[in-house]
Each structure stands twice: as C-alpha cells, then as structure tokens.
Amino acid sequence: RRVADIKAIRDALAMYQVQNITYPAQAIETQITGSDAMSLALVGDKAMSSVPVDPLNVMPNIYTYQSLSNDSTYVIKFCLETDSLKGYIQGCGNQVTP
C-alpha cells in the first residue's frame, strides 16, 4: 500500500506542477500528515481529495516531503517493512523524485 500511496502523491504533485509551474513549497523535510503544507496545497488545488498518510504510522516520519531548487523539484522519502519490492529496500532508505 505504501508504494501505491507514494505513486498517488507523485501523480497529484505532477498535476499540481502543471497548473502552478512549481511544486508546493516546503523548504524543510516535513512529515506528510494530511494537514501539512504540501497536503493542503494538493487538496486546495483539487489535485487530490485527500492525501494518503502511512497506514500503520509505526515509524516516525514514515512519509516525508521536501521541495528543492526553488520548488522546481522535490523528494519524498518513505519506509517499507519488506525488501521484496523491486527497486525498493527494507527500512527508511527509499525516496522518489519527479
């Protein structure tokens, strides 16, 4: 589910970027809680009806977002309990960019 959540957030960020030319501003790495600045921007822009948050919330900062390079790119970091998904590792060393 976490990989699907991250894909949904990436898709919404792409829609947001097309409409606003930049990604939501967030200069420091911040946990995605559904009420953080990035989540509010995506919902406010109608790119998503609600932003998914970690299903178990067992590790701190399990999904985080940070915009980079004057909001022209971003990084989302996330944790996984398994190493069976191609391209990802077990633990919190996973990240995606546009």
Side-chain angles (χ1 to χ4, degrees):
R1 170 157 170 218
R2 288 194 177 104
V3 173
D5 286 351
I6 297 303
K7 182 183 179 329
I9 294 169
R10 285 177 80 186
D11 291 348
L13 284 165
M15 288 177 24
Y16 182 96
Q17 193 272 338
V18 166
Q19 294 175 352
N20 296 282
I21 303 172
T22 65
Y23 293 103
Q26 187 64 57
I28 60 170
E29 186 176 324
T30 302
Q31 185 173 2
I32 299 172
T33 62
S35 60
D36 59 280
M38 183 272 303
S39 296
L40 295 175
L42 292 181
V43 171
D45 208 53
K46 301 200 182 338
M48 294 187 99
S49 58
S50 66
V51 176
V53 297
D54 175 62
L56 300 177
N57 201 20
V58 294
M59 296 181 232
N61 298 327
I62 202 129
Y63 296 167
T64 63
Y65 170 83
Q66 181 179 7
S67 60
L68 306 167
S69 300
N70 294 323
D71 308 327
S72 66
T73 190
Y74 65 84
V75 63
I76 296 175
K77 296 179 182 178
F78 59 102
C79 304
L80 293 173
E81 288 98 355
T82 182
D83 62 358
S84 64
L85 299 170
K86 185 176 180 179
Y88 299 104
I89 61 170
Q90 184 174 3
C92 296
N94 299 290
Q95 66 179 35
V96 296
T97 57

